[in-house]
Amino acid sequence: MIDLKMRQAEPVEISAVIPVYNEAENLTALYAELTAALPAITARYELIFVDDGSRDGSYGVLQELHVADKRVKVVRFRRNFGQTAAFAAGFDFAQGELIVTLDADGQNDPADIARLVEKLRAEQLDMVVGWRVDRQEGFLRRLLSQSANLIISRVTELAIHDRGCSLKVFRAELVKSIQIYGELHRFLPEMASTVGARVGEAPVNDRSRRFGKSKYGAFSRTPRVILDLITVFFLLGFFRSPMRLFGAIAIISGTLGVLIDGALALTKLVHGLLGGWAAFHAYAIGGRPLFFLGFLLILVSMQFLVMGLLGEMIMRTYYESQNKPIYFVREVLE
Ligand code: UDP
Ligand code: MG
């Protein structure tokens, strides 16, 4: 009895978080692979399956797994909220010190988890992401994904080869301190780096989906990813000081506008000085395209200035009303 209690009180070491959307046929095999791979790392693990509104009996399979093995925990959504929401729910429920995420469709290989965890510990990283070196997907899909990763690495200055791989390991405290929305689970490395995480990557095995088909088309996710990239770019660089971004645009556009319209006014003046009143009147600048461009730039500049001020106000409300920290401490020596 005592032994059992003590064992229950032991903290969980690894929580695996698995989003599930219509994956009934894949779940048993995945469970078998996980329970073969995880005990080699630790006995203190839990499997958190997040059923993202499946309609194919996935929940029934998960219920059976849960009854047979108390390490299996299941969170069931009321409807389909998407993969990011499923990850977020899994993170909220996870009790482990480390969190591992992977797909339910068998594309990620649980045998790789040990290597990622080892790398995280050995190099004292906060996050290790899987890199599918030999991807088992169509050429188009690979091309899109690789170019996206290249662009994102450039924009965010975080050189990672593969953001689309679900197999990742994090320190739980890290992942709990970041908020993800939309399709932002793809940008977890970037989101994590906003709080100062040390991010690494390790090659992993990529396999084909066992049953069912992908929940996304090759093109349907591209626009969403681009929009999220813009969000991440903003969050990374300017969330804490929106005025720096909007103010810079305002200054550039305002200066250009004043220069253009100023130059026009100057030519009119010069005409007046040289030719007198008549020439001054005859030289019209009010209808010229350049005049309108300058006018527009000045207006836009004011708009951006006001946007920057509003952004600053919203940012202050965000931090002050919720007592959000503006810093994240790694260690304290007292
Ligand atoms: N998934 C989910 N909710 C969704 C879409 C997908 O939970 O709305 C899960 C899905 O069951 C799988 C993982 O997210 O475990 C990745 O989805 P999928 O394999 O379709 O994406 P791909 O591997 O093609 O990127
Ligand atoms: Mg998949």
Side-chain angles (χ1 to χ4, degrees):
M1 266 319 261
I2 295 168
D3 185 32
L4 192 76
K5 254 197 183 155
M6 275 178 57
R7 213 184 296 156
Q8 277 178 342
E10 272 183 12
V12 177
E13 201 171 318
I14 294 187
S15 304
V17 171
I18 305 133
V20 176
Y21 183 46
N22 298 340
E23 307 278 6
E25 296 151 300
N26 292 317
L27 292 172
T28 329
L30 179 71
Y31 171 77
E33 283 187 333
L34 279 166
T35 46
L38 284 171
I41 314 172
T42 175
R44 293 179 284 123
Y45 67 87
E46 60 179 358
L47 308 177
I48 302 177
F49 289 92
V50 184
D51 177 10
D52 184 14
S54 300
R55 275 156 299 175
D56 72 336
S58 293
Y59 185 68
V61 181
L62 292 175
Q63 264 178 321
E64 278 167 29
L65 292 176
H66 169 72
V67 170
D69 181 352
K70 286 297 164 216
R71 286 187 171 123
V72 174
K73 294 165 192 175
V74 183
V75 178
R76 186 189 196 185
F77 281 176
R78 285 187 187 274
R79 65 166 175 85
N80 178 247
F81 284 101
Q83 200 181 344
T84 299
F87 277 131
F91 298 159
D92 289 341
F93 278 84
Q95 298 182 330
E97 212 177 290
L98 296 182
I99 294 179
V100 178
T101 56
L102 67 163
D103 277 2
D105 55 11
Q107 280 185 287
N108 302 127
D109 186 351
D112 288 322
I113 297 175
R115 198 148 19 87
L116 298 194
V117 169
E118 200 179 302
K119 182 171 169 102
L120 182 127
R121 293 207 167 125
E123 299 178 18
Q124 300 207 339
L125 300 170
D126 297 304
M127 173 170 187
V128 178
V129 302
W131 170 18
R132 294 164 292 178
V133 180
D134 182 21
R135 279 185 73 169
Q136 301 298 311
E137 276 163 331
F139 172 75
L140 188 65
R141 185 72 195 271
R142 281 207 318 267
L143 186 77
L144 273 176
S145 163
Q146 274 170 5
S147 15
N149 274 294
L150 214 70
I151 297 170
I152 298 169
S153 289
R154 271 287 164 81
V155 171
T156 62
E157 289 171 15
L158 192 67
I160 285 181
H161 290 90
D162 187 1
R163 286 167 178 79
C165 180
S166 287
L167 187 56
K168 298 185 175 103
V169 179
F170 321 86
R171 286 189 202 280
E173 79 227 31
L174 170 88
V175 92
K176 285 175 198 252
S177 64
I178 54 184
Q179 296 283 337
I180 48 175
Y181 320 87
E183 298 283 297
L184 285 185
H185 66 270
R186 276 171 232 290
F187 295 103
L188 274 170
E190 279 73 25
M191 301 295 286
S193 74
T194 60
V195 299
R198 288 182 282 224
V199 183
E201 65 182 346
V204 296
N205 185 10
D206 189 41
R207 308 183 294 187
S208 309
R209 199 175 230 290
R210 278 210 196 87
F211 295 99
K213 54 179 197 289
S214 173
K215 308 296 181 291
Y216 312 92
F219 286 107
S220 74
R221 77 178 100 196
T222 311
R224 284 186 279 173
V225 171
I226 292 175
L227 291 177
D228 278 338
L229 175 62
I230 298 175
T231 312
V232 168
F233 179 64
F234 178 73
L235 287 179
L236 274 179
F238 302 103
F239 184 65
R240 275 156 221 202
S241 49
M243 196 53 168
R244 279 216 330 255
L245 176 67
F246 295 119
I249 301 178
I251 289 177
I252 294 173
S253 128
T255 315
L256 275 176
V258 168
L259 279 180
I260 291 174
D261 279 355
L264 279 179
L266 205 68
T267 51
K268 190 175 166 82
L269 265 181
V270 170
H271 268 84
L273 284 177
L274 296 179
W277 259 123
F280 184 74
H281 268 291
Y283 190 78
I285 57 170
R288 290 171 62 169
L290 210 55
F291 171 79
F292 285 107
L293 178 67
F295 187 66
L296 192 75
L297 285 171
I298 294 171
L299 265 188
V300 163
S301 138
M302 286 181 199
Q303 291 270 311
F304 272 101
L305 204 67
V306 172
M307 255 189 260
L309 286 173
L310 286 177
E312 291 283 328
M313 279 164 65
I314 295 169
M315 186 269 298
R316 277 168 179 67
T317 316
Y318 172 81
Y319 282 108
E320 287 167 22
S321 67
Q322 304 179 54
N323 276 326
K324 291 259 191 230
I326 56 165
Y327 56 82
F328 296 90
V329 176
R330 191 186 300 280
E331 267 152 328
V332 177
L333 296 177
E334 278 185 301

